[in-house]
Amino acid sequence: MSSAEEALYGNRNAAYDQAAKKVLSQKKILAFILKRMVEEFKDESVQDIMTKYIEGTPLISQVPVHPDETNQEYERIQGNNTEDGSISEGMVRYDILFQALVPKTKEPIMLIINIEAQDRANPGYSILKRATYYASRMVSSQRGRDFYGNDYDKIKKVYTIWICMNAPKDMGNSINRYRMTEERLHGKYRAEEWQYNLLNVVMLYLGNRKTQDSLIEMLRIIFKEKAPALVKKQQLEEEYGIRLTEDETKELSKMCNLSEGVYNDGFNNGFDNGVNVGTFNRAKEDLQNLIESTGWPLEKAMQVLRIPLEEKEHYEKALKKEH
């Protein structure tokens, strides 16, 4: 692939990821996620989780940070920050980072939500191990910010939640949770759970088929359905009581237009088998912009955008009508 093509894909994927994070970071959507995937909130209403327990404004990462290669003292920014770094460990970014209060105790817990948009559940490494690493980093980063010296009782519980949007069939529509538990090898003593249950990893694998699980179905509508943003907005409002603002709707529309599945999934069925009109028009617009900016012929632009060449005749006719 040429550098121009790599730049095109990189920009498209980066823009999609950013729009997806903004959509997912809305408190009304986060509340549904917490109720279904975080045990402390299972008995609370979505409205209460949204208005009473999610604190502040969720932080969204924007720029990737390279590992720290110096031995200079790292001065930590106080408070929540999507950057987490140290001299020895380097630096990573979290997609969405926020804090919530446990309803019964009002103790704060830290929550990370990451969106994994890879076309496979194992992109050359274990996502589950990466999630565990992220959770561990969130615990260790609290020293010097949330607790000092040996005051380890102030360590906050951490949840890292991963939404894998393109899971294989055997993993699709699944939710798995991993956490620390106590195993007594001898004797009768049991420790209190708050002392050790600090790391929690939850993996949600989205599939293409409909499901009875309300959270998975809501996320499937947002990320997987091939429908215009206004249609999705109406579904979210009617089925989940989620009313998106004008700005939130714009982000949803941007995400739909940039969806990685538009070309891989939408065009596989072929134009004659009923390609969605909105999908075809978006692809036509992308082709026109690419041809005008690069001077490439239609066939080259279609290859770069991963549109099957069998559809060339349809796009030729459509583009000619524009001139």
Side-chain angles (χ1 to χ4, degrees):
M1 181 180 293
S2 69
S3 58
E5 292 169 12
E6 289 175 355
L8 175 67
Y9 287 133
N11 290 338
R12 175 181 292 278
N13 292 339
Y16 173 86
D17 287 345
Q18 188 66 11
K21 292 170 192 176
K22 288 182 178 179
V23 170
L24 201 60
S25 68
Q26 304 305 322
K27 283 188 177 182
K28 57 201 75 174
I29 294 177
L30 291 178
F32 275 91
I33 294 175
L34 263 59
K35 181 173 178 62
R36 181 68 178 86
M37 302 178 77
V38 179
E39 61 180 344
E40 284 86 350
F41 298 97
K42 64 181 180 180
D43 296 324
E44 305 299 322
S45 70
V46 169
Q47 181 67 21
D48 281 351
I49 296 171
M50 180 178 70
T51 58
K52 295 181 180 180
Y53 302 124
I54 296 177
E55 292 197 309
T57 301
L59 299 174
I60 306 170
S61 63
Q62 296 183 12
V63 181
V65 178
H66 294 293
D68 181 3
E69 297 177 350
T70 72
N71 290 322
Q72 297 177 357
E73 181 178 357
Y74 177 76
E75 182 179 352
R76 183 173 300 285
I77 299 175
Q78 295 298 311
N80 285 352
N81 190 349
T82 53
E83 293 179 359
D84 172 30
S86 71
I87 296 172
S88 59
E89 295 182 24
M91 186 173 287
V92 295
R93 272 193 180 269
Y94 307 107
D95 283 353
I96 302 169
L97 173 63
F98 63 103
Q99 183 169 284
L101 298 177
V102 176
K104 294 180 181 179
T105 66
K106 297 300 185 289
E107 290 292 320
I109 57 176
M110 302 296 296
L111 297 116
I112 310 161
I113 295 183
N114 275 77
I115 303 170
E116 182 56 56
Q118 301 282 348
D119 288 335
R120 54 191 186 281
N122 186 355
Y125 57 83
S126 167
I127 295 179
L128 186 54
K129 283 193 174 184
R130 181 182 172 192
T132 304
Y133 170 70
Y134 275 35
S136 301
R137 288 289 294 268
M138 274 306 303
V139 170
S140 65
S141 73
Q142 295 177 42
R143 185 181 179 90
R145 185 186 67 216
D146 300 302
F147 76 94
Y148 300 86
N150 295 325
D151 198 2
Y152 295 107
D153 281 353
K154 291 185 178 179
I155 295 177
K156 299 173 184 175
K157 188 175 184 179
V158 170
Y159 276 86
T160 175
I161 298 170
W162 288 70
I163 299 173
C164 301
M165 292 193 288
N166 294 298
K169 287 184 179 180
D170 60 335
M171 298 173 66
N173 292 347
S174 299
I175 302 176
N176 295 353
R177 182 167 61 201
Y178 308 86
R179 55 185 172 179
M180 296 179 67
T181 60
E182 180 185 68
E183 182 181 358
R184 285 190 301 167
L185 301 181
H186 183 72
K188 298 181 179 180
Y189 170 72
R190 284 188 180 275
E192 295 182 72
E193 187 174 334
W194 68 269
Q195 298 182 60
Y196 60 83
N197 187 18
L198 297 175
L199 296 177
N200 291 265
V201 175
V202 188
M203 309 295 294
L204 186 151
Y205 304 97
L206 281 182
N208 292 315
R209 67 184 187 280
K210 290 189 176 183
T211 174
Q212 296 300 313
D213 187 277
S214 60
L215 174 62
I216 295 178
E217 188 60 18
M218 182 189 76
L219 294 174
R220 193 188 65 79
I221 290 172
I222 294 173
F223 291 115
K224 303 288 286 184
E225 275 198 0
K226 299 296 183 292
L230 291 179
V231 173
K232 293 186 177 187
K233 177 184 179 181
Q234 185 176 353
Q235 285 182 281
L236 292 173
E237 184 171 338
E238 293 178 353
E239 298 177 26
Y240 298 94
I242 297 176
R243 293 175 175 83
L244 298 182
T245 65
E246 183 177 347
D247 288 341
E248 292 166 358
T249 304
K250 287 180 180 178
E251 292 300 331
L252 180 62
S253 180
K254 186 188 300 180
M255 190 192 76
C256 291
N257 291 341
L258 292 165
S259 175
E260 293 179 331
V262 165
Y263 306 111
N264 289 336
D265 297 334
F267 285 93
N268 283 342
N269 294 328
F271 186 88
D272 293 329
N273 289 334
V275 166
N276 178 277
V277 174
T279 298
F280 178 81
N281 288 335
R282 288 194 296 271
K284 180 186 68 177
E285 183 178 349
D286 283 348
L287 282 170
Q288 185 171 351
N289 291 337
L290 187 59
I291 291 170
E292 290 177 355
S293 62
T294 63
W296 289 342
L298 174 60
E299 184 170 329
K300 173 69 172 179
M302 291 181 67
Q303 289 175 335
V304 170
L305 292 177
R306 300 177 185 175
I307 301 174
L309 294 179
E310 300 85 69
E311 310 302 335
K312 182 179 177 181
E313 181 180 350
H314 299 294
Y315 287 103
E316 279 182 332
K317 292 179 179 178
L319 290 171
K320 285 179 180 179
K321 290 180 180 179
E322 300 291 331
H323 298 283

